[in-house]
Amino acid sequence: MSNPSILILPGDGIGPEVMDQVVRVIDWYGAKRDLAFDVSTDLVGGAAYDAHGVPLHDDTMAKAQEVDAVLLGAVGGPKYDDLDFSVKPERGLLRLRKEMDLYSNLRPAQCFDALADFSSLKKDVVAGLDIMIVRELTSGVYFGEPRGIIEEGNERVGINTQRYTESEIERAARSAFELAMRRNKKVCSMEKANVMESGILWREVVTKVGEDYPEVELSHMYADNGAMQLVRAPKQFDVIVTDNLFGDILSDCAAMLTGSLGMLPSASLGAPMANGRPKAMYEPVHGSAPDIAGQGKANPIACMLSFAMALRYSFDHGEEAARLEGAIEKVLADGARTGDLMGPEGGTPLSTAEMGDAILAALDASL
Ligand code: IPM
Ligand code: MG
């Protein structure tokens, strides 16, 4: 049997440098755990635009459809700010999500004990935090039609459309309930049913799906209240399920609870392929961080944890995912810090590669 395949799309900014460290981890699994992957690499975002004039080449899109998992670094940067909307780096990412039909975006927000002091919230509010946001990723206002900027009378009008079908809501909800069954059996659904019809339908469909999961406690919140509750008492949540736009906003909010955006991974999953694995793309939640790109300062942990999610959700190696997560927890507990994790007490931050060295050493020690 051939090895499982991974397509690496490092992208822009700090994407390539954090991905270099992930490649070392992938190689480690091949050498030390007999878990070899067929890895290929291609361009996305601004890097693809520079080479091909489009943020995602059709050949790359076709490859992404064929592999077992895509690992993406980050897209975007100031160099591309003035490009036409249709070829902006972000369009490459959105095309991958849409054409691979990755409807369920899992964004865990976990607070590592060693980092509880880095949160902008009080330590006891966030210590031990472990929540999962399930964001619908292929519909809603991100993709709804009509959209555009049109002329009306003597002025222009910007239009986007929030649109959800019952089946789109249902499959996102189902993935949230399935996850909750493997966690603490609580789902909180967030929408704006008080002002949006799409929110009313969202609530109805989620409630209906919930009937199939009697063990799971389901609650509903208006998304604005949800944002407030996330900063007031985040540990009340287990799984949060929400639409594409609210999920974008609420997941950034949840991410910051944990102290550093440089720590958070994500998985975007679709329907099962012929081999039973879900269509999948894994990426850190952080962006391309152009201000520190190319300096070897970036924190590679979010991208490594994204590979851990790939081990768990695509390759059925939960125990190997836990090994990598454990190695990361260990180096943090031992005081390893990149620049984004430096407290007021100061010290010398590790470079991206030195953080990689520390994690590889911890992986060796786990054997
Ligand atoms: C995210 C990002 C993207 C989004 C951008 C880069 C298009 O903010 O993944 O959260 O808005 O979905
Ligand atoms: Mg976002």
Side-chain angles (χ1 to χ4, degrees), residues 97 107 135 142 247-249 251-252 285:
R97 291 175 179 173
R107 298 191 164 189
R135 168 189 177 193
Y142 269 58
D248 180 43
I249 297 165
S251 65
D252 262 27
V285 170

